[in-house]
Amino acid sequence: MLDLIPDYVKNAPFYHLVVEAFLLVWILWLIFRKSYSPPEKNKLTEKDKKELLEEWTPEPLVPNYDFRESIIKPRVVDGPVAKYAIVNGVKSLNVASFNFLNMVGNEKINEMAIKSIQKYGVGSCGPRGFYGTIDVHLELEQRLAKYFNVEEGIIYSYGFSTIASAIPAYSKRGDIIFADEGVHFAIQKGIVASRSDVRYFKHNDIEDLERLLKEQEDADRKNPKKAKVTRKFLVIEGLYMNYGDLCPLPKMVELKYKYKYRIFLDESVSFATIGKTGRGVTEYFNVQREKIDLISGSMEMSLGSVGGFCVGSSFVVQHQVLSGQGYCFSASLPPLLAVSAIEALNIIEEKQDEIFPELERKCKVMHQKLKALNNYTVSGIDISPVKHVRLCFENSLDRLEKIVDYAQSKAVSLTVARYLKEEKINPKPSIRISVNYDLTEEEIQKIIDVLEQAVNEIGL
């Protein structure tokens, strides 16, 4: 063997010998090197430790709230939360619930729900990936995709978790989210869960959004390597729940192709309320849905059911099957609720030429009558089914609560819009009125009269 070594060395290429010698030295270094133990610097004495412990104040496990302010006295409803509901034992005209199309209590929907209980039982008892997928889930997803004229849809068992799961399914640490500061709390929690770098722009302020986009564009030029792997998203609502106004979607789509970001549009309020046939703000502004990367919505408002959905291209939607936490880990939507949503869609599609022009007309009538009141202001667009009403003078939560209590004594159910302290921005206190498609002219006038009487009777 030793006789062969000189021949091997003689015949081997020089770079082989260099590489082998380097590997041999490196292996020997790994074997014999001393393990690294960093030197202790600024070692604390017992006195230092004692002083630090005395100065340290642990954070409370429960936030330091004034619970007297946070306690809400619930109004108890007995029966369906329909246009008329039994509230605290009194039959009341209900304009507090997001029951825009009066689907809650609809006889056809109730009948289909009862039949589904007889066939499927009540619950699903498992996530979609673990024997929780039922045929009506797939049918509902297909119907929603067809309704929006897109490739595919996906449903969640809880409306709040829909957008809160969808955002972190796509946007990750290191990505950038541009979001309207007026988005509702579920969107805010989805942004937090994504751990992305978030840039909030002023509510519906295109100039402020473009300012942030230009700043990011300048930063991308300075660091093109990082820019190549950084994804950018714009998260907005179609019709803002907390404001009652529409997003300027056409301009945002225009900026999308200029600054290269993806659009996530939440249509929870605008779904089945805005547009000629209720297809939301994309229909209202005549924007092609292919230009919106993901549309989300809630089935807990216009459809009178429970849960939420996302629709879009198959490439985008299918990603949530494995990455949407609310989809993967929550029990799937109970079949009776899926069947109820399907039947609500049947009613909408059957009567869409009648429902949406009439809903828009009643929203405008309510808006004009609210504007005409002397002591109140109303915000938002006139076609919005969500109205935020405030006092012209000394607008406070306590004063608005007195008005709501007075209205309830007159068998009209109103509600004060409430927000958590953790929200990005808390809008000014307001009474929130939800317009119901089935409201008559007399019922709208009754709401107006009660609001007017409240100021005089209470002496605000």
Side-chain angles (χ1 to χ4, degrees), residues 113-165:
I114 291 169
K115 289 181 180 179
S116 72
I117 292 174
Q118 293 170 344
K119 180 177 179 180
Y120 300 103
V122 176
S124 58
C125 297
R128 289 289 297 272
F130 297 92
Y131 301 99
T133 295
I134 300 169
D135 55 356
V136 289
H137 293 148
L138 302 177
E139 182 182 351
L140 178 55
E141 288 172 342
Q142 291 169 1
R143 288 294 303 278
L144 287 166
K146 182 182 177 183
Y147 184 82
F148 281 95
N149 193 27
V150 294
E151 292 179 359
E152 197 163 343
I154 186 171
I155 60 171
Y156 287 76
S157 52
Y158 183 35
F160 188 98
S161 67
T162 303
I163 190 64
S165 297

Side-chain angles (χ1 to χ4, degrees), residues 23 41 60 106 113 144 171 192 226 235 299 303 339 385 438 457:
L23 290 174
K41 294 182 179 180
N106 183 282
L144 287 166
S171 186
V192 171
K226 182 181 178 182
V235 182
M299 297 185 288
L303 297 190
V339 169
D438 277 338
E457 294 289 331

Side-chain angles (χ1 to χ4, degrees), residues 443-456:
E443 288 166 341
I444 292 175
Q445 189 58 49
K446 180 181 179 180
I447 296 164
I448 300 300
D449 292 341
V450 166
L451 285 170
E452 192 169 23
Q453 293 164 13
V455 175
N456 299 325

Side-chain angles (χ1 to χ4, degrees), residues 296-342:
S296 64
S298 173
M299 297 185 288
E300 299 170 358
M301 300 183 189
S302 292
L303 297 190
S305 185
V306 175
F309 64 88
C310 292
V311 294
S313 67
S314 297
F315 175 76
V316 172
V317 172
Q318 274 294 314
H319 180 69
Q320 294 182 55
V321 173
L322 294 177
S323 299
Q325 293 185 359
Y327 181 91
C328 295
F329 301 112
S330 296
S332 62
L333 189 69
L336 71 98
L337 295 172
V339 169
S340 299
I342 292 170

Side-chain angles (χ1 to χ4, degrees), residues 48-89:
D48 294 333
K49 292 178 182 177
K50 186 177 180 181
E51 289 178 354
L52 287 172
L53 287 172
E54 288 174 354
E55 293 173 1
W56 179 67
T57 303
E59 292 186 5
L61 293 175
V62 179
N64 188 23
Y65 287 137
D66 185 347
F67 288 100
R68 290 172 298 178
E69 293 181 1
S70 63
I71 292 174
I72 300 174
K73 297 178 182 178
R75 295 175 177 86
V76 180
V77 179
D78 181 11
V81 190
K83 185 178 76 167
Y84 280 93
I86 308 299
V87 182
N88 292 343

